[in-house]
Amino acid sequence: PYKKSTLSYGPLTRDTADDNFNIRFQGLFRSAYVSEAALSAAKHALLLTLLVAIFAAALIYFFIKVPLVPIAASAQAAPIDTLFVVLFSIASVFFSLAFVTLVYNVIAFRAKPGDTEDGPGIKGHNLLEATWTLIPLVVVMVLAVLGAAVLGDITRASPEELEVKVVAAQWSWQFEYPEYGVFASELHLPVNRPVLLKLNAVDVIHSFWVPEF
């Protein structure tokens, strides 16, 4: 912030020459300082981006390779498992972005010993705030559409489905097969045929769960 006209006032003397040199030297120093600060910020941004990418990739690999869901025993299991992996993969990216950024800032920008001054004030950034609001909104909408598609796929009625009436009581389960007129205390299902389970409780609310589905 120096006026250009200060370099041409009065005759050129030793004093004015020294002033001109000092002004130009300060300008070069300020430019070099800004460039060094910008370079340092770019290095931190690049390193942070790399760490976030590595951490997110490790989490996604974990969710894909480690069997966290039961072994698929029905046709409906495949789209549910796929949606599960997609959901946790997206969550891994956001978790990595928040967690790694927090840890990196705590380590890289911690206060030096004896430094008790407050940090510089930071004002709001409209573009940044709009970005971290719109991106999660889009992600949630995409997941909602995927979830609705999967729900519609696994609940689609089939003319070949077998109806099984499930009756819960304390402390037993009873299964009725109207098509065959059979009652049983254990659930037996045919292979490669859709099944419709109709649940009913004679006393309290029971939790019906078929393992490995």
Side-chain angles (χ1 to χ4, degrees):
Y2 298 102
K3 294 182 179 180
K4 184 176 180 180
S5 58
T6 56
L7 300 178
S8 59
Y9 282 166
L12 181 61
T13 62
R14 183 174 182 178
D15 293 337
T16 56
D18 290 342
D19 292 340
N20 293 343
F21 174 78
N22 291 334
I23 292 173
R24 290 170 180 166
F25 178 78
Q26 290 175 6
L28 292 175
F29 179 78
R30 288 166 59 88
S31 299
Y33 178 78
V34 171
S35 300
E36 183 178 355
L39 181 61
S40 177
K43 289 182 179 179
H44 283 296
L46 180 61
L47 180 58
L48 179 59
T49 302
L50 181 62
L51 292 175
V52 169
I54 294 175
F55 195 80
L59 285 179
I60 294 174
Y61 180 83
F62 172 81
F63 286 122
I64 293 177
K65 295 298 182 179
V66 177
L68 299 178
V69 295
I71 299 175
S74 66
Q76 289 80 7
I80 294 177
D81 293 348
T82 301
L83 183 61
F84 180 87
V85 173
V86 171
L87 177 62
F88 274 82
S89 298
I90 295 176
S92 299
V93 174
F94 284 95
F95 175 78
S96 302
L97 182 61
F99 179 74
V100 175
T101 301
L102 175 63
V103 174
Y104 184 85
N105 280 277
V106 169
I107 296 175
F109 301 107
R110 64 187 183 276
K112 297 180 180 179
D115 185 5
T116 58
E117 296 183 359
D118 294 335
I122 300 177
K123 297 182 180 180
H125 195 289
N126 293 335
L127 179 59
L128 181 61
E129 294 176 2
T131 300
W132 70 39
T133 300
L134 293 178
I135 291 179
L137 176 62
V138 172
V139 171
V140 170
M141 293 178 64
V142 170
L143 290 177
V145 173
L146 291 177
V150 171
L151 181 62
D153 183 31
I154 64 177
T155 58
R156 185 179 297 110
S158 172
E160 301 178 356
E161 61 189 12
L162 172 66
E163 179 181 328
V164 179
K165 294 182 178 180
V166 183
V167 180
Q170 295 180 334
W171 305 88
S172 65
W173 293 95
Q174 186 178 23
F175 304 96
E176 177 187 356
Y177 301 83
E179 183 177 336
Y180 302 101
V182 176
F183 293 84
S185 58
E186 293 182 353
L187 179 63
H188 295 269
L189 301 177
V191 179
N192 297 328
R193 183 178 179 184
V195 178
L196 174 63
L197 300 174
K198 292 186 175 181
L199 309 180
N200 184 33
V202 298
D203 38 41
V204 297
I205 298 177
H206 296 266
S207 177
F208 181 77
W209 176 65
V210 180
E212 304 297 346
F213 266 67

